[in-house]
Structures are given as structure tokens and as C-alpha cells.
Amino acid sequence: MITVILLGQSTPAQAADSTQYGGDTSRGLGVAIPFSGFTDRNGRPATISGAVGADLVLGSTAQPYLPCQNFNPQTGTGDTFVNACEVRGSYATYTRFAAGNGILFPHGYFMPDTQPDLVNGGSLRTGWGARTAGLSLEFYPDVTRDQEYVHSRFYVDRFNHRANGWTYSAYVGTIRLATLADPGTAQITGNVTRGGATPAKNEIKFTVFGGDARSSAGYPISSFAVTYSSGAPGWTTGAMYAGAQRVTVDDTATGHQCIYDLQRITGANNRVDFDVAQPGFGRGGGRCNFG
């Protein structure tokens, strides 16, 4: 699970509930994205399995509210319609596909006004299709090859083409799977220590958003990487799209966080080291929540 980043925000804006947001009833059955799925570098069916998570954004891109991330697992409470979320506390939908079946949305991705109640059965009239401000789709490759492939993502917040009872966004088409062997990719590697010692496994979290690429239809796409300290000094993002990157480093042992905006990077030889015992985690130029 990750938190969608929109216009430089690292956390979604807080609001009480989906029901506080009005909808556009002229959208008909809801909104849709003409996006089919994933191909290999030659345009053939994807050779690996994976999944696509879709974040639903209400409100606006500038002030987003993500109803499916509004969930408290300790109390079991959240948004009025949280039972319509396939991953409560995270994605509105999470669609898996097997190797060779990357074209998982042959007619497009749809967000209707009515969703199944995944907890109690039946259906919920969420009005999410009418209320949608944006949809962010994020790709997870085969978990056994997680860092080999770029984790692609794209965001749409304009739905203005009405057809067949739905309101569509711009055409996205397909996304070609990419690795570091492909042009236009990059990787960050480095060491992470705590005053010379190696942090425990999963103690340090690295979240990276950025890069620049295009879908088959020329729609802008980017990449993300979420990784943790391994119990050894080294850390890596795995493959990403080349370009500017925002790197967020969280020390879960102390609650300290630093955010770094890196200029355009490309290729595999990009080293970024951290010492989380030092001010600014041992690097200049970060925005940190501690002195």
C-alpha cells in the first residue's frame, strides 16, 4: 500500500466522507479511462504476471480526498462506502493478471456509480463515478521480479468525452513494460546506516515518485518505487523511468522523515547514501521533520 502523490502532496487531504462531495450527474453511468493494460517491448502480450491498483480521488487534484484510504483497521470504521473498496485503507480496485494477460481492461477501466458491497454482499450506491475528481493507476509487476521492472503509474483528472452512457478521459492505450535494459530508465542505489551501524530489516522506508515516459497513445506516465532497508547496508529503488525524482526516507524507529527532490537522473549509476543518525540523514537539501 502506498499513498498517492498529487501535485507534490505526500498525503491526501483529510475530509469526513464521500457523501460530502457533490457529483456531476451528466456523466451518465460513471467515468472511464480508455486504458487497456500492458505489453512487452514488442507490443505483444505481457510476459509476466502482476496487478493494477486504482486510487479513487474525490474533491479536487489540488485538495484530494481518497475514500478508500479513509479506514481505521483497529476500529473497522472509515468512509461510508469503504466496504466498496477492494483494499480497505488503500486502493478502490486491485486487479491481478496472469502472465500473457496484461490486456486486462480491453474496453477500458470503468468507475461506476454503484459498487458491490464486498463485506455484506449486495451493492452500494456510492455515486463515485459522478463524484470522481481523478483516478491514479499504479502497476505492480510479478513479486518474484519486483525490482526488475519499472512500476508504472498515471493519473487522470479530466473526463469530458461522453459515449455509450459513460464519460471518458483522454485515450491512454497501453503501457510497454520496461527494465533497466530499456532506454529512458534509471535506478538509485546506495548505503543506509545509523551512525555506522546497519539498520534493522524494514526499519527504513524509501518511497520514490518521478520519471517521465509515455503510453502508446502519448499520454504522460511516471514511476514509483517503495522499498525498505534489508538488514544489509545497501538499498536500491530497482528500475524506474529516468527523470526528476522525489525521494522520501522514513526512519520508522524514530518517526523522522526527510524528503529530497533530485534533478533528472538516468541510467543505473546513481548513488545516494544516508546516515539516519545525522541531521538531514547525512545529506543536504532535504526537507526534514526534525532539527
Side-chain angles (χ1 to χ4, degrees), residues 59-188:
S60 69
T61 296
Q63 294 185 303
Y65 168 65
L66 282 67
C68 290
Q69 290 190 12
N70 181 7
F71 177 68
N72 185 331
Q74 295 179 328
T75 63
T77 60
D79 191 271
T80 290
F81 305 120
V82 73
N83 288 353
C85 302
E86 288 192 13
V87 187
R88 291 186 294 172
S90 182
Y91 293 117
T93 64
Y94 190 76
T95 308
R96 295 176 174 85
F97 62 92
N101 291 283
I103 304 302
L104 66 170
F105 305 118
H107 304 294
Y109 176 86
F110 294 84
M111 178 57 65
D113 283 327
T114 301
Q115 280 76 29
D117 186 327
L118 301 173
V119 177
N120 302 309
S123 61
L124 292 170
R125 181 73 179 178
T126 65
W128 279 348
R131 303 180 205 265
T132 298
L135 291 166
S136 173
L137 272 66
E138 300 176 331
F139 168 65
Y140 293 86
D142 187 332
V143 294
T144 64
R145 304 166 69 181
D146 184 65
Q147 293 191 331
E148 179 180 345
Y149 286 91
V150 173
H151 292 234
S152 306
R153 70 188 303 266
F154 66 88
Y155 180 69
V156 295
D157 62 358
R158 294 189 66 186
F159 304 91
N160 51 21
H161 176 65
R162 291 173 171 82
N164 305 316
W166 296 83
T167 303
Y168 290 81
S169 71
Y171 184 63
V172 176
T174 60
I175 294 176
R176 187 181 66 182
L177 296 174
T179 72
L180 282 174
D182 292 294
T185 57
Q187 177 179 246
I188 300 173

Side-chain angles (χ1 to χ4, degrees), residues 192-194 196-204 229-233 251 274 276:
V192 57
T193 57
R194 188 186 301 280
T198 301
K201 183 177 181 180
N202 296 331
E203 192 169 79
I204 311 300
S229 55
S230 65
D251 181 351
F274 298 101
V276 296

